[in-house]
Amino acid sequence: MLTGPIRGELFGAEHLSERARDLAAGQELSTTPARQRTPLLARLAQTSRILARAHDELSAHSDQRADVGPAGDWLLD
């Protein structure tokens, strides 16, 4: 059974902030555009289309006074 942090110590807010700055400073930005969409971005675009269709359908049903349920109400909000 583990009783403490796996990697040695828990970082406090100050130490986390310092570590984040160190990591960010070591990153390089690309100046050339990506040649293809990443799988994550393609999946996000697909999910966005699915949610838009669901919203449109729920909205149409709601306009006809159909009960769309709590989840439907949440999505419409």
Side-chain angles (χ1 to χ4, degrees), residues 7-40:
R7 293 193 177 173
E9 70 174 281
L10 291 174
F11 291 164
E14 187 174 319
H15 194 188
L16 280 174
S17 178
E18 180 182 319
R19 180 71 176 133
R21 279 192 297 275
D22 290 343
L23 287 171
Q27 301 300 307
E28 293 182 25
L29 294 176
S30 174
T31 58
T32 58
R35 292 186 187 150
Q36 63 183 9
R37 298 183 93 183
T38 64
L40 175 61

Side-chain angles (χ1 to χ4, degrees), residues 49-64:
R49 288 189 299 273
I50 291 168
L51 288 172
R53 273 197 318 265
H55 184 275
D56 291 345
E57 287 186 34
L58 285 170
S59 182
H61 287 291
S62 179
D63 289 346
Q64 296 171 2

Side-chain angles (χ1 to χ4, degrees), residues 55 58 62 66-77:
H55 184 275
L58 285 170
S62 179
D67 181 14
V68 295
D73 286 336
W74 176 86
L75 185 60
L76 289 172
D77 283 345

